[in-house]
Amino acid sequence: MFGRFLKPRWQHSNPDMRLKAVEQLSPVDDEATLARLARGDSNSLVRAAASGRIMDFSLLDEIHQRDEEPSVREAASMRIMALLAGTVDGAPNSETRLRLIRLTGNREALGFIARNSPDEMCQQAAIERLDDDNLLFELALESRTETLRLEAAQQLRSLSLLKRLSREGRDKRVTRLAREQAKALQEKIQLEEAESARVVQLADRLEQHARRSVDALYGPRLEQLEQQWQDSSNRATPDLAERVQQALQQCRHQLATLQEENHRQALADTARAEREAAAHNLYQLLSQSDPQAWEDQLGELRSALATQKRRWDSANEQAPAPDNDKLAFEDLVSAFERMLNLAADILEARDDPARLHSLAAEWPTGYPKPPLLTALVPPAREEKPSTARARPAPSPHQGLLVALKRELRDGNLRHANRLWHKAQAIIDEQGDPALASQLKKLEARRAELQDWHRFAAEPKKVSLCESMETLADSSMDAPQLASAIQALHDEWRALMSSDQDEDQALWDRFKAASDRAYEPCQAHFAEQDALRQSNLEKRRQLCEQLEQFIDAQDWSQADWQGIWQIRQQAPKDWKAIQPVRFTHAREVQKRFSAILSGLDERLKDYIEGAETSRQALITQAKNLAELNDVGEATRQAQQLQKQWRDTPWLPPAQHRAGQKKFKKAMDALFAERNRQHAERKAEQETRSQEAQGAVTQLESCLDAPFSREGAHALKEALHALEQFNSSALPQSLSRQAQQLRRRARERLDRLTEWEHWQALQQTVESLSEVNECGDESLTLAVAFEALAGVPSPEAERQRRLQWQLEKLPSAMKQQEFSALDEMARLLKDHDQPVSVAVRNRLHQALAVLEPGSE
């Protein structure tokens, strides 16, 4: 009975055993088993391990889309990427992978393939599908072949990254392509900005138009602006488009308001004219009516009144009239209707002088009276004696009489007979004469119903007897035969009256046929009783099996999952053993219920203990959220997850409830870890951007001419860049920053030398000037030119050679010889004026030696 609960290792209740079994399954031979575990295993580690061995892309995509556990989705995603990149055994061939890469839009997968695939064609196909500029920039710098780097640069669409690539690219072709694309993109952006400015200007004009007052040119100008907007709306931002739509709605609303106001005013004018015409016609008809018309033309007058009322009401619906006009018209209509009613009453009372006299008093003054009201005679009064008839006293059993009359009226003879006999008994006991009188009146109806019953019911009863006699010889199944017998009995009862004597002979015939027809049913129901007794014995055996199973258990080491499954299956097996006779099954039912109650008690104790251990882990998981160190909390959470997998088994409902709480706590913790990681990443990105700005600034300062102000700016830029830790920056940016810092320090180290050079420039500039200078000044010029290594004029070559032979060797023997120091010494010893030409030669020689100019 319990062999069905034994399962293979990959179906073991312990998730660790299932995990080990997954590692031994073959991706090819055990594909269906791996798919089943990846889709439906309760443990996320088992699902993740199974997903990491699946070869079916569609199944992996389904798991990645639908699984609730991030680790399982990540495992499926990594498996898809590895198969597409061709980095694992069993991956599809190159052609298939190329086709799949060209169909996928997964950025992460495309990036993985572009970085890691051993197949360059697959890498190139992945790069063609990428739209992540940061990743494309990285690939343009670091891809292993120039072809891939060119492809990545070709796909790049970010202007700032294209400029960076033009400076930092490894290949001339890549940097040239980046410069060309940056230039084209810059021109496109400028064109789009100009177009956007034009669209913004058009939107402003539309908003200004919406605030204008409406005049004759408002509509045509709106059509012109709207047509211009339709030509440019595809280049507008959503916010700008919404602004324009609001402005257009406001413009259209103003136009519609004006048109509606004009239309409403026209309707009001027309309606007012119609109301005035209706009131005027009605008043004229009332005041100018002929006296004879009140007798001969009442129909025409009523029709005229109805016509004018409809005319007034129609106009009032279009434009409501003022209250005063409405009240005046209602008074006019009321007066007209009152006179019409008086005229009608006069016509009806033409032979009643008293009535005519009374109506004449009601006729309003100022209007001509009808001819019938002239020459009236006072009416005579007559008094009529009043007579009253005495009613007989009602019967105290009036309710019985009402019910009897109702049943006789409806033709219910059976119920009417019962009420009739009851009334007869009351008359015999109490002697109610009123009730007896009423019964006498109803005798004819009762006799009529009795005659009808004999005429209509007797043939039907005879037919029922014949039908029952036919059933006695029928070959129908016993259940059907019993149902047919019962149906004939129901029809017989419907035909019975309360006078049983009349039906007795036919009833005896019907009953005999019924007993004979029921004989085959008795054998059938005997078989049913035997089946019920057999099922009752099977239920007793089931109870015995359960009791033996319970007695044989070692409850300290019980297989609670198997016990729970038996507890779930036992009621189903019990219910399947039927039919049983309820009265006989009461005792065994109590026995079975007691067995289940005992199992429930043991399961309850076990479940409470298992839930307690799980609840403790859930509490610990919730408390981890209070730790300040998220890394430590995450490590403890991983330990709790291992402990959770080792917790005792629980039924699915309790397991899902606890799993949901534990997973919620774990998800919240890992979500916090991911959030902090994202914050750190964003902070690092921000720092990288700031560092990039500092690098750009320092580079700009290095490119500027060297000066005292430039040196100050260079110091500030260098100080700003030194605030960033090189280890926290991307490798390429860190390398660039180190080079720039070295150059800046070298330049700043020469600041003193530059100041010395600047002082020499000023000293030369301060020398007095003459038109023709002496030999000493010319010798100073050639000395400067020799020290600077610049050529001297052809006429001074001999003088320069002489100085180089006589003075330069002794100067160069000095310790730490410096050309600038030697120039300073020469200027210090020189006190002669110089010509403009010599001064220019001195400046040119010094310019060559300017520190930081190289």
Side-chain angles (χ1 to χ4, degrees):
M1 175 179 178
F2 309 120
R4 62 180 182 273
F5 300 116
L6 299 177
K7 300 177 181 178
R9 291 187 64 192
W10 59 267
Q11 290 181 327
H12 200 278
S13 60
N14 190 338
D16 292 336
M17 298 298 293
R18 297 200 302 275
L19 190 61
K20 293 179 181 179
V22 168
E23 296 173 356
Q24 299 174 1
L25 293 176
S26 170
V28 178
D29 299 334
D30 301 314
E31 182 180 2
T33 301
L34 288 171
R36 179 177 178 182
L37 290 171
R39 280 194 179 108
D41 196 277
S42 60
N43 186 271
S44 59
L45 290 177
V46 176
R47 297 200 304 275
S51 299
R53 299 179 65 81
I54 291 175
M55 309 290 291
D56 187 355
F57 281 96
S58 60
L59 177 57
L60 287 169
D61 185 68
E62 175 187 346
I63 295 170
H64 181 263
Q65 296 294 332
R66 298 184 179 180
D67 199 283
E68 299 178 355
E69 189 66 29
S71 61
V72 180
R73 297 197 299 270
E74 181 68 16
S77 176
M78 292 300 296
R79 184 64 174 177
I80 292 174
M81 291 189 291
L83 290 172
L84 286 176
T87 58
V88 295
D89 295 334
N93 57 38
S94 177
E95 183 178 354
T96 302
R97 285 189 281 113
L98 278 173
R99 179 174 56 83
L100 294 174
I101 291 169
R102 293 189 178 104
L103 292 176
T104 186
N106 189 317
R107 289 185 179 181
E108 187 177 5
L110 292 172
F112 182 89
I113 298 165
R115 290 192 187 99
N116 304 304
S117 178
D119 188 348
E120 185 171 340
M121 293 183 64
C122 290
Q123 286 183 298
Q124 189 170 356
I127 291 174
E128 291 175 356
R129 297 280 295 166
L130 278 173
D131 58 357
D132 186 346
D133 285 334
N134 291 323
L135 180 56
L136 287 169
F137 175 77
E138 179 184 345
L139 293 170
L141 287 177
E142 300 176 1
S143 293
R144 65 172 183 265
T145 66
E146 184 181 8
T147 303
L148 294 176
R149 294 193 290 272
L150 277 172
E151 184 64 31
Q154 183 70 34
Q155 300 297 323
L156 197 57
R157 294 294 178 267
S158 171
L159 180 60
S160 60
L161 293 177
L162 283 170
K163 290 182 177 178
R164 283 185 59 190
L165 184 60
S166 66
R167 298 192 301 268
E168 302 174 12
R170 295 166 52 183
D171 314 289
K172 291 183 179 179
R173 293 175 62 189
V174 173
T175 55
R176 183 171 62 252
L177 176 63
R179 283 195 299 271
E180 293 173 355
Q181 289 189 218
K183 182 179 179 181
L185 185 59
Q186 184 71 45
E187 293 175 353
K188 180 180 179 182
I189 291 174
Q190 291 175 354
L191 182 62
E192 290 177 352
E193 288 177 351
E195 187 63 25
S196 299
R198 191 179 72 82
V199 172
V200 171
Q201 183 181 9
L202 180 58
D204 293 336
R205 291 167 63 189
L206 273 167
E207 289 180 334
Q208 293 174 3
H209 192 70
R211 293 190 291 269
R212 283 183 52 196
S213 59
V214 182
D215 54 16
L217 297 178
Y218 192 92
R221 182 57 177 161
L222 175 61
E223 292 179 359
Q224 182 181 8
L225 292 173
E226 190 172 2
Q227 182 61 43
Q228 294 177 5
W229 172 254
Q230 289 178 356
D231 297 337
S232 306
S233 60
N234 58 344
R235 292 180 289 273
T237 63
D239 293 338
L240 189 63
E242 184 177 359
R243 283 174 48 196
V244 170
Q245 290 302 321
Q246 292 177 356
L248 288 173
Q249 289 178 3
Q250 186 175 353
C251 293
R252 296 188 187 108
H253 177 70
Q254 291 184 359
L255 279 177
T257 301
L258 178 63
Q259 294 173 357
E260 184 179 355
E261 183 62 28
N262 293 337
H263 181 65
R264 187 185 302 111
Q265 187 62 39
L267 287 177
D269 294 340
T270 304
R272 184 176 63 254
E274 282 293 300
R275 292 196 304 271
E276 291 176 356
H280 177 73
N281 292 339
L282 194 59
Y283 179 78
Q284 188 176 18
L285 184 64
L286 182 62
S287 60
Q288 297 180 5
S289 60
D290 186 81
Q292 190 64 35
W294 296 108
E295 292 184 2
D296 300 335
Q297 300 177 3
L298 281 181
E300 289 82 353
L301 291 175
R302 290 185 187 277
S303 177
L305 174 61
T307 300
Q308 298 307 320
K309 284 178 64 178
R310 286 194 299 271
R311 186 178 183 183
W312 170 276
D313 292 338
S314 177
N316 191 57
E317 289 178 359
Q318 292 182 358
D323 292 340
N324 294 335
D325 294 353
K326 187 175 182 180
L327 290 175
F329 184 80
E330 290 175 354
D331 292 341
L332 183 60
V333 170
S334 298
F336 206 119
E337 290 177 343
R338 184 168 63 253
M339 293 188 66
L340 286 173
N341 292 334
L342 284 173
D345 293 341
I346 290 170
L347 289 176
E348 291 178 359
R350 64 173 64 234
D351 297 329
D352 189 353
R355 178 61 177 159
L356 288 174
H357 185 76
S358 175
L359 294 173
E362 295 178 10
W363 189 266
T365 59
Y367 293 92
K369 297 181 179 181
L372 290 175
L373 295 183
T374 59
L376 296 175
V377 178
R381 297 182 178 179
E382 295 182 358
E383 296 181 1
K384 296 182 179 180
S386 60
T387 60
R389 296 182 180 179
R391 294 182 178 179
S395 170
H397 303 93
Q398 191 66 26
L400 179 61
L401 281 172
V402 172
L404 177 59
K405 290 179 180 179
R406 183 180 64 250
E407 298 299 336
L408 289 173
R409 181 180 66 250
D410 295 341
N412 297 328
L413 179 60
R414 186 176 180 182
H415 294 162
N417 280 335
R418 292 177 181 174
L419 296 174
W420 186 278
H421 295 323
K422 186 176 181 180
Q424 288 287 359
I426 292 173
I427 293 172
D428 295 340
E429 294 177 0
Q430 302 177 10
D432 187 344
L435 183 58
S437 175
Q438 292 294 331
L439 286 183
K440 188 173 183 180
K441 294 179 181 179
L442 298 174
E443 283 181 354
R445 174 57 180 167
R446 179 169 177 259
E448 180 184 354
L449 286 178
Q450 287 175 337
D451 292 341
W452 176 87
H453 179 76
R454 293 188 191 96
F455 176 77
E458 185 172 352
K460 291 183 180 179
K461 290 181 180 180
V462 172
S463 176
L464 289 176
C465 291
E466 294 174 351
S467 298
M468 186 63 77
E469 290 167 353
T470 301
L471 287 179
D473 301 327
S474 174
S475 59
M476 296 172 61
D477 294 338
Q480 296 179 351
L481 182 58
S483 299
I485 293 172
Q486 183 63 38
L488 292 178
H489 275 277
D490 292 339
E491 292 185 33
W492 181 274
R493 280 192 295 271
L495 294 173
M496 289 176 62
S497 67
S498 59
D499 295 333
Q500 296 296 328
D501 294 340
E502 300 178 359
D503 302 327
Q504 191 61 44
L506 289 174
W507 168 248
D508 292 340
R509 177 185 173 186
F510 182 80
K511 183 65 170 64
S514 175
D515 293 341
R516 191 167 62 257
Y518 192 73
E519 289 177 359
C521 299
Q522 292 178 347
H524 168 74
F525 290 122
E527 293 177 1
Q528 289 291 314
D529 290 340
L531 178 60
R532 291 187 180 94
Q533 187 62 33
S534 175
N535 288 336
L536 183 61
E537 185 61 30
K538 290 180 181 178
R539 288 192 172 186
R540 289 196 183 98
Q541 293 175 3
L542 179 59
C543 291
E544 291 176 359
Q545 290 179 357
L546 289 173
E547 289 170 346
Q548 293 173 2
F549 171 77
I550 293 171
D551 293 339
Q553 286 297 315
D554 181 5
W555 296 104
S556 61
Q557 299 179 353
D559 180 7
W560 290 105
Q561 183 176 2
I563 292 172
W564 180 82
Q565 290 175 340
I566 291 173
R567 172 61 181 86
Q568 298 299 310
Q569 186 64 32
K572 299 177 183 178
D573 294 345
W574 178 271
K575 188 175 181 180
I577 303 174
Q578 59 179 346
V580 294
R581 192 175 298 279
F582 174 75
T583 54
H584 295 170
R586 288 176 180 172
E587 292 300 326
V588 71
Q589 179 68 49
K590 292 179 181 179
R591 180 182 176 185
F592 181 73
S593 299
I595 294 171
L596 294 185
S597 297
L599 275 179
D600 289 340
E601 288 295 328
R602 293 184 181 275
L603 282 169
K604 179 181 177 184
D605 294 340
Y606 165 78
I607 290 171
E608 288 177 353
E611 284 186 334
T612 300
S613 62
R614 292 201 178 196
Q615 188 60 43
L617 293 179
I618 292 172
T619 303
Q620 294 180 37
K622 291 181 179 178
N623 293 336
L624 289 179
E626 300 176 1
L627 294 179
N628 295 327
D629 188 352
V630 177
E632 177 62 25
T634 303
R635 286 190 291 273
Q636 294 186 24
Q638 292 172 347
Q639 294 297 325
L640 287 180
Q641 286 179 327
K642 293 180 180 178
Q643 297 177 27
W644 181 269
R645 290 193 292 270
D646 296 335
T647 52
W649 173 88
L650 274 177
Q654 289 88 339
H655 169 74
R656 285 192 295 268
Q659 180 73 19
K660 184 177 181 181
K661 294 179 182 179
F662 185 77
K663 182 177 180 298
K664 182 178 180 181
M666 291 292 102
D667 289 348
L669 185 63
F670 288 111
E672 178 63 20
R673 182 198 63 180
N674 295 338
R675 185 189 66 78
Q676 293 189 9
H677 177 71
E679 287 182 355
R680 288 195 297 271
K681 186 176 180 181
E683 184 179 355
Q684 291 175 357
E685 182 67 23
T686 302
R687 294 284 293 174
S688 297
Q689 293 177 359
E690 293 174 354
Q692 180 64 48
V695 166
T696 303
Q697 180 64 27
L698 182 58
E699 190 175 17
S700 176
C701 291
L702 288 172
D703 292 340
F706 196 73
S707 64
R708 185 172 287 102
E709 294 77 8
H712 178 70
L714 184 62
K715 285 182 180 179
E716 292 183 347
L718 178 60
H719 178 71
L721 182 58
E722 287 177 343
Q723 303 301 316
F724 300 96
N725 186 2
S726 298
S727 61
L729 299 178
Q731 184 177 0
S732 59
L733 183 61
S734 176
R735 186 166 55 248
Q736 183 184 8
Q738 289 176 0
Q739 295 173 357
L740 293 176
R741 278 197 292 261
R742 177 179 54 76
R743 290 176 55 195
R745 293 192 187 101
E746 291 176 355
R747 177 170 293 189
L748 290 175
D749 289 342
R750 302 188 67 182
L751 178 61
T752 303
E753 184 180 358
W754 182 86
E755 291 176 346
H756 182 36
W757 174 85
Q758 185 70 16
L760 290 177
Q761 286 275 55
Q762 295 175 357
T763 302
V764 171
E765 190 65 28
S766 65
L767 293 174
S768 58
E769 184 176 322
V770 294
N771 292 330
E772 295 290 337
C773 61
D775 292 340
E776 291 184 5
S777 298
L778 294 174
T779 300
L780 179 66
V782 297
F784 268 56
E785 290 168 344
L787 290 171
V790 299
S792 299
E794 187 67 25
E796 298 294 329
R797 293 183 62 183
Q798 185 64 33
R799 191 187 303 275
R800 174 173 175 170
L801 180 62
Q802 182 179 355
W803 184 88
Q804 287 176 339
L805 293 175
E806 295 178 358
K807 303 296 183 179
L808 185 59
S810 60
M812 293 183 64
K813 290 180 181 179
Q814 298 177 9
Q815 189 175 4
E816 297 181 358
F817 170 78
S818 170
L820 291 177
D821 291 342
E822 183 64 21
M823 289 178 177
R825 189 185 64 76
L826 292 174
L827 283 174
K828 183 178 180 181
D829 295 340
H830 183 77
D831 56 356
Q832 299 297 321
V834 297
S835 64
V836 174
V838 169
R839 190 193 305 277
N840 290 337
R841 289 170 61 187
L842 295 175
H843 279 306
Q844 291 174 0
L846 283 173
V848 174
L849 298 178
E850 180 183 1
S853 62
E854 64 280 356

